[in-house]
Amino acid sequence: MTLVIYNTLTRDKEPLQPIEPGKVRMYVCGPTVYHEAHVGHAMSSIVFDFVRRYLEYRGYEVRHVMNFTDVDDKIIARANETGEEPGVIADRYVAQYQEQLDQLNVLRPTIFPRVSQTIPDIIKMVQGLIEQGHAYETPSGDVYFRVRTDTDYGKLSRRRLDEAISGTRVSSSEEKEDEGDFALWKAAKPGEPSWDSPWGKGRPGWHIECSAMNLRYLGEQIDIHGGGNDLIFPHHENEIAQTESYTCKTFARYWMHNGMLQLKGEKMSKSLGNLVTIDQFLSEHDSDVLRLMIAGSQYRKPLAFNDDVIADNERALSRLLGALRPASGSITSGPAVDELAVQVRRVREGFEAAMDDDFNTAGALGSLFELVRAVNTARAAGVGGEVFAGAQTELRTLVGVLGLRLQAPKSDGQSASPFVDLLLEIRTDLRKAKQWALADKVRDRLKDLGVIVEDSPQGSTWRMGE
Ligand SMILES: [Zn+2]
């Protein structure tokens, strides 16, 4: 099977053919670090974590870069509000987001570059664009990209230049040659962080940072460029314009965009004020619940975030955990065992076919839940031994590709399970020795602790009571 990826540039699914066989260079736009990250940020990081984990499962070596925008108007505005240095604010939220990514089991990108650490690269690129005639300096010391020199400008967002101009959020400047031109470098205003440059003290515009970081850490051409679909225009359009004008080469082969997380019908964002922070979410739910929620939806579509969806995925998580309960019997041959073995082979095929189709995580989860049903049916039929254990191992392997940890919550007794298993083993010995009173005492005392023991011809099992 070939892995196909939906490419926003062509609006089509295309087979993955990396520039260098076996290696994938992937760049994903990261957050602007001026406030606590919310679950919308987590969604983008988790979507691209699915992509990375599956590529690695498929044997690709992934070089994954995610930036932090630590120089930005919003950070400066926040610093003016709080009286802190912008760098201090940025450092705090960079450290916090990295920690949250660990809690969400997102593999750490190979490199986390920051704008403040990439200034010489940015200046070099801006200078090159000026020399090539693609950019110009204004009398006030700003530098703008000359959009009309880029003949295919608008190819990603499919906007004509005139439409693109009316869509820009940047206010027009008297000094711009053309309304659609965008800032590569902004002259410093009093009290702002600034760096020396050939155009005087200033700081980079937003778009140029990603072009410069790509060039520095991944080279002139990359395989996958990702981010939220709110970045297609103008950010990614402008990244393409800068990089391709500078290198005269195709920049990214595949442009991947995730849909937005929606809270009460609107995109979750700081500016709209409708958000749930990652810490708030994780204080009430397991990180697997968020992953299951995102995996259960098509990554390019908007995802509604609400209590019902959370509750559904809490249940999905307990079903997955339930499949990992120990065998209740020891049957190792016969039709029930054969049936389980067949299901185990099928599930991997189904999982891979789904993931090969533009990372269809919902389809992949569907295969996993077929395995959950097969394991539970086999357990009820008394299947144990190697085939049963193998099915559970397969389940653990495949959920791992989706970054699920399947850690049982502490309250449901899973952390005590080796000890309960030990008590049941002793109780079985007591019953064999006809020590009924002691055996009953073990059962009754466990019941007091909320553990229900059930005896059957295949042996004793236990579960947590209500
Ligand atoms: Zn970017």
Side-chain angles (χ1 to χ4, degrees), residues 279-308:
D279 282 353
Q280 279 168 348
F281 184 88
L282 290 178
S283 69
E284 291 173 35
H285 312 281
D286 193 287
S287 67
D288 280 356
V289 174
L290 188 59
R291 275 188 179 264
L292 282 167
M293 193 186 301
I294 295 166
S297 145
Q298 214 292 335
Y299 77 86
R300 285 184 272 127
K301 297 201 173 123
L303 170 58
F305 182 89
N306 57 50
D307 290 344
D308 290 343

PDB file of all heavy atoms in Angstrom, residues 279-308:
ATOM      1  N   ASP A 279      -4.202  22.746  30.751  1.00  0.00           N
ATOM      2  CA  ASP A 279      -4.170  22.374  32.169  1.00  0.00           C
ATOM      3  C   ASP A 279      -5.571  22.124  32.728  1.00  0.00           C
ATOM      4  O   ASP A 279      -5.774  21.175  33.491  1.00  0.00           O
ATOM      5  CB  ASP A 279      -3.475  23.462  33.003  1.00  0.00           C
ATOM      6  CG  ASP A 279      -1.958  23.389  32.870  1.00  0.00           C
ATOM      7  OD1 ASP A 279      -1.472  22.428  32.242  1.00  0.00           O
ATOM      8  OD2 ASP A 279      -1.272  24.289  33.388  1.00  0.00           O
ATOM      9  N   GLN A 280      -6.529  22.979  32.336  1.00  0.00           N
ATOM     10  CA  GLN A 280      -7.914  22.754  32.805  1.00  0.00           C
ATOM     11  C   GLN A 280      -8.398  21.386  32.333  1.00  0.00           C
ATOM     12  O   GLN A 280      -8.987  20.625  33.099  1.00  0.00           O
ATOM     13  CB  GLN A 280      -8.852  23.828  32.222  1.00  0.00           C
ATOM     14  CG  GLN A 280      -8.822  25.139  32.974  1.00  0.00           C
ATOM     15  CD  GLN A 280      -9.536  26.259  32.196  1.00  0.00           C
ATOM     16  OE1 GLN A 280      -9.853  26.111  31.023  1.00  0.00           O
ATOM     17  NE2 GLN A 280      -9.771  27.370  32.860  1.00  0.00           N
ATOM     18  N   PHE A 281      -8.146  21.073  31.070  1.00  0.00           N
ATOM     19  CA  PHE A 281      -8.619  19.802  30.530  1.00  0.00           C
ATOM     20  C   PHE A 281      -7.962  18.636  31.263  1.00  0.00           C
ATOM     21  O   PHE A 281      -8.631  17.694  31.705  1.00  0.00           O
ATOM     22  CB  PHE A 281      -8.328  19.708  29.023  1.00  0.00           C
ATOM     23  CG  PHE A 281      -8.881  18.456  28.404  1.00  0.00           C
ATOM     24  CD1 PHE A 281     -10.183  18.441  27.916  1.00  0.00           C
ATOM     25  CD2 PHE A 281      -8.141  17.280  28.355  1.00  0.00           C
ATOM     26  CE1 PHE A 281     -10.722  17.274  27.376  1.00  0.00           C
ATOM     27  CE2 PHE A 281      -8.663  16.119  27.825  1.00  0.00           C
ATOM     28  CZ  PHE A 281      -9.972  16.119  27.330  1.00  0.00           C
ATOM     29  N   LEU A 282      -6.640  18.714  31.428  1.00  0.00           N
ATOM     30  CA  LEU A 282      -5.921  17.584  32.020  1.00  0.00           C
ATOM     31  C   LEU A 282      -6.191  17.436  33.515  1.00  0.00           C
ATOM     32  O   LEU A 282      -5.942  16.378  34.081  1.00  0.00           O
ATOM     33  CB  LEU A 282      -4.415  17.715  31.753  1.00  0.00           C
ATOM     34  CG  LEU A 282      -3.992  17.504  30.291  1.00  0.00           C
ATOM     35  CD1 LEU A 282      -2.486  17.716  30.134  1.00  0.00           C
ATOM     36  CD2 LEU A 282      -4.380  16.110  29.782  1.00  0.00           C
ATOM     37  N   SER A 283      -6.705  18.495  34.153  1.00  0.00           N
ATOM     38  CA  SER A 283      -7.028  18.343  35.575  1.00  0.00           C
ATOM     39  C   SER A 283      -8.282  17.476  35.754  1.00  0.00           C
ATOM     40  O   SER A 283      -8.522  16.933  36.823  1.00  0.00           O
ATOM     41  CB  SER A 283      -7.214  19.704  36.232  1.00  0.00           C
ATOM     42  OG  SER A 283      -8.400  20.305  35.740  1.00  0.00           O
ATOM     43  N   GLU A 284      -9.075  17.347  34.691  1.00  0.00           N
ATOM     44  CA  GLU A 284     -10.313  16.560  34.805  1.00  0.00           C
ATOM     45  C   GLU A 284     -10.310  15.278  33.992  1.00  0.00           C
ATOM     46  O   GLU A 284     -11.101  14.375  34.256  1.00  0.00           O
ATOM     47  CB  GLU A 284     -11.503  17.418  34.349  1.00  0.00           C
ATOM     48  CG  GLU A 284     -11.814  18.557  35.293  1.00  0.00           C
ATOM     49  CD  GLU A 284     -12.870  19.473  34.714  1.00  0.00           C
ATOM     50  OE1 GLU A 284     -13.781  18.983  34.025  1.00  0.00           O
ATOM     51  OE2 GLU A 284     -12.753  20.696  34.923  1.00  0.00           O
ATOM     52  N   HIS A 285      -9.466  15.232  32.952  1.00  0.00           N
ATOM     53  CA  HIS A 285      -9.518  14.082  32.049  1.00  0.00           C
ATOM     54  C   HIS A 285      -8.118  13.574  31.744  1.00  0.00           C
ATOM     55  O   HIS A 285      -7.147  14.308  31.804  1.00  0.00           O
ATOM     56  CB  HIS A 285     -10.191  14.462  30.721  1.00  0.00           C
ATOM     57  CG  HIS A 285     -11.470  15.215  30.888  1.00  0.00           C
ATOM     58  ND1 HIS A 285     -12.652  14.593  31.206  1.00  0.00           N
ATOM     59  CD2 HIS A 285     -11.737  16.540  30.814  1.00  0.00           C
ATOM     60  CE1 HIS A 285     -13.601  15.510  31.300  1.00  0.00           C
ATOM     61  NE2 HIS A 285     -13.078  16.691  31.079  1.00  0.00           N
ATOM     62  N   ASP A 286      -8.087  12.299  31.331  1.00  0.00           N
ATOM     63  CA  ASP A 286      -6.849  11.696  30.881  1.00  0.00           C
ATOM     64  C   ASP A 286      -6.477  12.275  29.513  1.00  0.00           C
ATOM     65  O   ASP A 286      -7.359  12.591  28.714  1.00  0.00           O
ATOM     66  CB  ASP A 286      -7.091  10.187  30.768  1.00  0.00           C
ATOM     67  CG  ASP A 286      -5.804   9.408  30.623  1.00  0.00           C
ATOM     68  OD1 ASP A 286      -5.186   9.461  29.539  1.00  0.00           O
ATOM     69  OD2 ASP A 286      -5.416   8.747  31.591  1.00  0.00           O
ATOM     70  N   SER A 287      -5.173  12.389  29.240  1.00  0.00           N
ATOM     71  CA  SER A 287      -4.756  12.916  27.930  1.00  0.00           C
ATOM     72  C   SER A 287      -5.254  12.017  26.794  1.00  0.00           C
ATOM     73  O   SER A 287      -5.492  12.481  25.687  1.00  0.00           O
ATOM     74  CB  SER A 287      -3.241  13.063  27.875  1.00  0.00           C
ATOM     75  OG  SER A 287      -2.629  11.802  27.922  1.00  0.00           O
ATOM     76  N   ASP A 288      -5.430  10.718  27.079  1.00  0.00           N
ATOM     77  CA  ASP A 288      -5.957   9.809  26.050  1.00  0.00           C
ATOM     78  C   ASP A 288      -7.349  10.229  25.565  1.00  0.00           C
ATOM     79  O   ASP A 288      -7.715   9.965  24.426  1.00  0.00           O
ATOM     80  CB  ASP A 288      -6.065   8.370  26.601  1.00  0.00           C
ATOM     81  CG  ASP A 288      -4.724   7.647  26.581  1.00  0.00           C
ATOM     82  OD1 ASP A 288      -3.740   8.221  26.069  1.00  0.00           O
ATOM     83  OD2 ASP A 288      -4.666   6.502  27.069  1.00  0.00           O
ATOM     84  N   VAL A 289      -8.127  10.848  26.450  1.00  0.00           N
ATOM     85  CA  VAL A 289      -9.486  11.258  26.057  1.00  0.00           C
ATOM     86  C   VAL A 289      -9.401  12.310  24.944  1.00  0.00           C
ATOM     87  O   VAL A 289     -10.132  12.247  23.953  1.00  0.00           O
ATOM     88  CB  VAL A 289     -10.269  11.796  27.275  1.00  0.00           C
ATOM     89  CG1 VAL A 289     -11.623  12.367  26.857  1.00  0.00           C
ATOM     90  CG2 VAL A 289     -10.458  10.698  28.312  1.00  0.00           C
ATOM     91  N   LEU A 290      -8.467  13.248  25.083  1.00  0.00           N
ATOM     92  CA  LEU A 290      -8.301  14.281  24.050  1.00  0.00           C
ATOM     93  C   LEU A 290      -7.800  13.650  22.751  1.00  0.00           C
ATOM     94  O   LEU A 290      -8.280  13.958  21.657  1.00  0.00           O
ATOM     95  CB  LEU A 290      -7.322  15.347  24.544  1.00  0.00           C
ATOM     96  CG  LEU A 290      -7.177  16.585  23.666  1.00  0.00           C
ATOM     97  CD1 LEU A 290      -8.507  17.298  23.478  1.00  0.00           C
ATOM     98  CD2 LEU A 290      -6.145  17.540  24.236  1.00  0.00           C
ATOM     99  N   ARG A 291      -6.855  12.734  22.882  1.00  0.00           N
ATOM    100  CA  ARG A 291      -6.335  12.054  21.688  1.00  0.00           C
ATOM    101  C   ARG A 291      -7.429  11.258  20.979  1.00  0.00           C
ATOM    102  O   ARG A 291      -7.520  11.269  19.754  1.00  0.00           O
ATOM    103  CB  ARG A 291      -5.200  11.094  22.067  1.00  0.00           C
ATOM    104  CG  ARG A 291      -3.892  11.785  22.141  1.00  0.00           C
ATOM    105  CD  ARG A 291      -2.766  10.794  22.312  1.00  0.00           C
ATOM    106  NE  ARG A 291      -1.541  11.551  22.344  1.00  0.00           N
ATOM    107  CZ  ARG A 291      -0.758  11.754  21.285  1.00  0.00           C
ATOM    108  NH1 ARG A 291      -1.012  11.192  20.129  1.00  0.00           N
ATOM    109  NH2 ARG A 291       0.316  12.505  21.405  1.00  0.00           N
ATOM    110  N   LEU A 292      -8.243  10.556  21.755  1.00  0.00           N
ATOM    111  CA  LEU A 292      -9.318   9.764  21.148  1.00  0.00           C
ATOM    112  C   LEU A 292     -10.313  10.674  20.432  1.00  0.00           C
ATOM    113  O   LEU A 292     -10.810  10.359  19.350  1.00  0.00           O
ATOM    114  CB  LEU A 292     -10.041   8.932  22.209  1.00  0.00           C
ATOM    115  CG  LEU A 292      -9.300   7.675  22.657  1.00  0.00           C
ATOM    116  CD1 LEU A 292      -9.938   7.094  23.918  1.00  0.00           C
ATOM    117  CD2 LEU A 292      -9.296   6.614  21.544  1.00  0.00           C
ATOM    118  N   MET A 293     -10.596  11.820  21.053  1.00  0.00           N
ATOM    119  CA  MET A 293     -11.530  12.775  20.478  1.00  0.00           C
ATOM    120  C   MET A 293     -11.004  13.265  19.122  1.00  0.00           C
ATOM    121  O   MET A 293     -11.738  13.315  18.137  1.00  0.00           O
ATOM    122  CB  MET A 293     -11.622  13.949  21.466  1.00  0.00           C
ATOM    123  CG  MET A 293     -12.740  14.901  21.228  1.00  0.00           C
ATOM    124  SD  MET A 293     -12.587  16.295  22.369  1.00  0.00           S
ATOM    125  CE  MET A 293     -12.653  15.529  23.930  1.00  0.00           C
ATOM    126  N   ILE A 294      -9.728  13.583  19.078  1.00  0.00           N
ATOM    127  CA  ILE A 294      -9.131  14.108  17.843  1.00  0.00           C
ATOM    128  C   ILE A 294      -8.993  12.988  16.811  1.00  0.00           C
ATOM    129  O   ILE A 294      -9.284  13.174  15.631  1.00  0.00           O
ATOM    130  CB  ILE A 294      -7.787  14.790  18.162  1.00  0.00           C
ATOM    131  CG1 ILE A 294      -8.048  16.011  19.045  1.00  0.00           C
ATOM    132  CG2 ILE A 294      -7.049  15.181  16.893  1.00  0.00           C
ATOM    133  CD1 ILE A 294      -6.826  16.580  19.714  1.00  0.00           C
ATOM    134  N   ALA A 295      -8.605  11.809  17.279  1.00  0.00           N
ATOM    135  CA  ALA A 295      -8.450  10.672  16.354  1.00  0.00           C
ATOM    136  C   ALA A 295      -9.796  10.267  15.764  1.00  0.00           C
ATOM    137  O   ALA A 295      -9.876   9.783  14.644  1.00  0.00           O
ATOM    138  CB  ALA A 295      -7.804   9.487  17.070  1.00  0.00           C
ATOM    139  N   GLY A 296     -10.870  10.481  16.518  1.00  0.00           N
ATOM    140  CA  GLY A 296     -12.181  10.060  16.064  1.00  0.00           C
ATOM    141  C   GLY A 296     -12.778  10.968  15.000  1.00  0.00           C
ATOM    142  O   GLY A 296     -13.819  10.662  14.421  1.00  0.00           O
ATOM    143  N   SER A 297     -12.102  12.079  14.738  1.00  0.00           N
ATOM    144  CA  SER A 297     -12.640  13.042  13.778  1.00  0.00           C
ATOM    145  C   SER A 297     -11.661  13.170  12.606  1.00  0.00           C
ATOM    146  O   SER A 297     -10.481  12.873  12.744  1.00  0.00           O
ATOM    147  CB  SER A 297     -12.812  14.372  14.526  1.00  0.00           C
ATOM    148  OG  SER A 297     -12.564  15.460  13.713  1.00  0.00           O
ATOM    149  N   GLN A 298     -12.160  13.584  11.437  1.00  0.00           N
ATOM    150  CA  GLN A 298     -11.283  13.785  10.283  1.00  0.00           C
ATOM    151  C   GLN A 298     -10.448  15.038  10.544  1.00  0.00           C
ATOM    152  O   GLN A 298     -11.009  16.089  10.838  1.00  0.00           O
ATOM    153  CB  GLN A 298     -12.154  13.944   9.030  1.00  0.00           C
ATOM    154  CG  GLN A 298     -11.554  13.384   7.760  1.00  0.00           C
ATOM    155  CD  GLN A 298     -10.332  14.160   7.266  1.00  0.00           C
ATOM    156  OE1 GLN A 298     -10.174  15.325   7.551  1.00  0.00           O
ATOM    157  NE2 GLN A 298      -9.473  13.475   6.547  1.00  0.00           N
ATOM    158  N   TYR A 299      -9.126  14.907  10.440  1.00  0.00           N
ATOM    159  CA  TYR A 299      -8.282  16.007  10.929  1.00  0.00           C
ATOM    160  C   TYR A 299      -8.463  17.323  10.175  1.00  0.00           C
ATOM    161  O   TYR A 299      -8.151  18.391  10.683  1.00  0.00           O
ATOM    162  CB  TYR A 299      -6.800  15.595  10.929  1.00  0.00           C
ATOM    163  CG  TYR A 299      -6.131  15.598   9.561  1.00  0.00           C
ATOM    164  CD1 TYR A 299      -5.574  16.752   9.031  1.00  0.00           C
ATOM    165  CD2 TYR A 299      -6.055  14.434   8.789  1.00  0.00           C
ATOM    166  CE1 TYR A 299      -4.971  16.767   7.780  1.00  0.00           C
ATOM    167  CE2 TYR A 299      -5.469  14.439   7.540  1.00  0.00           C
ATOM    168  CZ  TYR A 299      -4.926  15.606   7.036  1.00  0.00           C
ATOM    169  OH  TYR A 299      -4.343  15.605   5.789  1.00  0.00           O
ATOM    170  N   ARG A 300      -8.949  17.260   8.933  1.00  0.00           N
ATOM    171  CA  ARG A 300      -9.095  18.500   8.157  1.00  0.00           C
ATOM    172  C   ARG A 300     -10.393  19.228   8.489  1.00  0.00           C
ATOM    173  O   ARG A 300     -10.599  20.366   8.112  1.00  0.00           O
ATOM    174  CB  ARG A 300      -9.066  18.185   6.658  1.00  0.00           C
ATOM    175  CG  ARG A 300      -7.664  17.879   6.159  1.00  0.00           C
ATOM    176  CD  ARG A 300      -7.638  17.656   4.662  1.00  0.00           C
ATOM    177  NE  ARG A 300      -7.896  16.273   4.319  1.00  0.00           N
ATOM    178  CZ  ARG A 300      -8.829  15.865   3.472  1.00  0.00           C
ATOM    179  NH1 ARG A 300      -9.637  16.742   2.904  1.00  0.00           N
ATOM    180  NH2 ARG A 300      -8.977  14.584   3.211  1.00  0.00           N
ATOM    181  N   LYS A 301     -11.297  18.524   9.172  1.00  0.00           N
ATOM    182  CA  LYS A 301     -12.601  19.122   9.462  1.00  0.00           C
ATOM    183  C   LYS A 301     -12.608  19.804  10.831  1.00  0.00           C
ATOM    184  O   LYS A 301     -11.800  19.473  11.696  1.00  0.00           O
ATOM    185  CB  LYS A 301     -13.663  18.018   9.454  1.00  0.00           C
ATOM    186  CG  LYS A 301     -13.792  17.375   8.081  1.00  0.00           C
ATOM    187  CD  LYS A 301     -15.130  16.684   7.922  1.00  0.00           C
ATOM    188  CE  LYS A 301     -15.308  16.213   6.497  1.00  0.00           C
ATOM    189  NZ  LYS A 301     -15.559  14.774   6.415  1.00  0.00           N
ATOM    190  N   PRO A 302     -13.571  20.714  11.040  1.00  0.00           N
ATOM    191  CA  PRO A 302     -13.674  21.300  12.383  1.00  0.00           C
ATOM    192  C   PRO A 302     -14.107  20.233  13.387  1.00  0.00           C
ATOM    193  O   PRO A 302     -14.790  19.277  13.027  1.00  0.00           O
ATOM    194  CB  PRO A 302     -14.765  22.365  12.228  1.00  0.00           C
ATOM    195  CG  PRO A 302     -15.381  22.175  10.902  1.00  0.00           C
ATOM    196  CD  PRO A 302     -14.549  21.248  10.087  1.00  0.00           C
ATOM    197  N   LEU A 303     -13.658  20.367  14.610  1.00  0.00           N
ATOM    198  CA  LEU A 303     -14.012  19.397  15.650  1.00  0.00           C
ATOM    199  C   LEU A 303     -14.743  20.121  16.776  1.00  0.00           C
ATOM    200  O   LEU A 303     -14.204  21.057  17.379  1.00  0.00           O
ATOM    201  CB  LEU A 303     -12.734  18.716  16.172  1.00  0.00           C
ATOM    202  CG  LEU A 303     -12.847  17.849  17.422  1.00  0.00           C
ATOM    203  CD1 LEU A 303     -13.858  16.718  17.223  1.00  0.00           C
ATOM    204  CD2 LEU A 303     -11.497  17.260  17.800  1.00  0.00           C
ATOM    205  N   ALA A 304     -15.969  19.680  17.026  1.00  0.00           N
ATOM    206  CA  ALA A 304     -16.760  20.315  18.090  1.00  0.00           C
ATOM    207  C   ALA A 304     -16.284  19.788  19.437  1.00  0.00           C
ATOM    208  O   ALA A 304     -16.179  18.584  19.651  1.00  0.00           O
ATOM    209  CB  ALA A 304     -18.237  20.009  17.893  1.00  0.00           C
ATOM    210  N   PHE A 305     -16.002  20.718  20.329  1.00  0.00           N
ATOM    211  CA  PHE A 305     -15.533  20.372  21.673  1.00  0.00           C
ATOM    212  C   PHE A 305     -16.670  20.652  22.638  1.00  0.00           C
ATOM    213  O   PHE A 305     -17.092  21.796  22.807  1.00  0.00           O
ATOM    214  CB  PHE A 305     -14.322  21.248  21.992  1.00  0.00           C
ATOM    215  CG  PHE A 305     -13.697  20.983  23.330  1.00  0.00           C
ATOM    216  CD1 PHE A 305     -12.696  20.032  23.473  1.00  0.00           C
ATOM    217  CD2 PHE A 305     -14.095  21.702  24.450  1.00  0.00           C
ATOM    218  CE1 PHE A 305     -12.110  19.795  24.705  1.00  0.00           C
ATOM    219  CE2 PHE A 305     -13.512  21.466  25.689  1.00  0.00           C
ATOM    220  CZ  PHE A 305     -12.518  20.511  25.801  1.00  0.00           C
ATOM    221  N   ASN A 306     -17.240  19.609  23.238  1.00  0.00           N
ATOM    222  CA  ASN A 306     -18.316  19.822  24.212  1.00  0.00           C
ATOM    223  C   ASN A 306     -18.386  18.622  25.167  1.00  0.00           C
ATOM    224  O   ASN A 306     -17.679  17.622  24.970  1.00  0.00           O
ATOM    225  CB  ASN A 306     -19.659  20.058  23.500  1.00  0.00           C
ATOM    226  CG  ASN A 306     -20.026  18.903  22.584  1.00  0.00           C
ATOM    227  OD1 ASN A 306     -19.982  17.743  23.004  1.00  0.00           O
ATOM    228  ND2 ASN A 306     -20.358  19.190  21.330  1.00  0.00           N
ATOM    229  N   ASP A 307     -19.242  18.724  26.169  1.00  0.00           N
ATOM    230  CA  ASP A 307     -19.297  17.693  27.204  1.00  0.00           C
ATOM    231  C   ASP A 307     -19.701  16.328  26.651  1.00  0.00           C
ATOM    232  O   ASP A 307     -19.217  15.300  27.120  1.00  0.00           O
ATOM    233  CB  ASP A 307     -20.273  18.108  28.310  1.00  0.00           C
ATOM    234  CG  ASP A 307     -19.718  19.269  29.123  1.00  0.00           C
ATOM    235  OD1 ASP A 307     -18.494  19.522  29.028  1.00  0.00           O
ATOM    236  OD2 ASP A 307     -20.492  19.932  29.835  1.00  0.00           O
ATOM    237  N   ASP A 308     -20.604  16.314  25.656  1.00  0.00           N
ATOM    238  CA  ASP A 308     -21.033  15.029  25.099  1.00  0.00           C
ATOM    239  C   ASP A 308     -19.869  14.309  24.423  1.00  0.00           C
ATOM    240  O   ASP A 308     -19.691  13.101  24.579  1.00  0.00           O
ATOM    241  CB  ASP A 308     -22.149  15.236  24.058  1.00  0.00           C
ATOM    242  CG  ASP A 308     -23.450  15.672  24.720  1.00  0.00           C
ATOM    243  OD1 ASP A 308     -23.556  15.501  25.955  1.00  0.00           O
ATOM    244  OD2 ASP A 308     -24.333  16.183  24.007  1.00  0.00           O
TER     245      ASP A 308
END
